[in-house]
Amino acid sequence: MLQQTPGSRVEGYYERFRGRYPSVESLADAAPAAVRESWEGLGYYRRAANLHRLAQRVVAEHAGVIPADPAVLFGL
């Protein structure tokens, strides 16, 4: 959310987003339209779509655990 968006603007969005998607699994299971709606107002909607796809891969390929290895994480 902070990429090219001021932190003061992100603060409220982040809290609402985390409230709606408290886990990687909840984000992965969400409908793409719901994720986009949660991102509404931040712009750069591709970031929301990429984050959603990342959550789906983490659930599918890593049992919902975000990899600690930077090389693996970068590969996602």
Side-chain angles (χ1 to χ4, degrees):
M1 288 181 173
L2 289 171
Q3 184 183 4
Q4 299 181 7
T5 305
S8 59
R9 184 161 179 213
V10 168
E11 218 172 336
Y13 285 95
Y14 178 77
E15 293 301 323
R16 284 190 300 274
F17 195 86
R18 286 296 313 253
R20 190 165 184 180
Y21 308 109
S23 67
V24 174
E25 291 84 3
S26 63
L27 179 57
D29 290 341
V35 175
R36 188 181 192 287
E37 178 187 307
S38 299
W39 203 271
E40 194 76 37
L42 285 173
Y44 300 97
Y45 295 104
R46 180 168 282 190
R47 292 183 291 178
N50 288 340
L51 184 61
H52 187 222
R53 282 193 302 276
L54 174 66
Q56 291 172 329
R57 286 192 59 192
V58 167
V59 168
E61 299 171 18
H62 300 279
V65 177
I66 297 171
D69 182 343
V72 175
L73 190 57
F74 184 74
L76 290 171

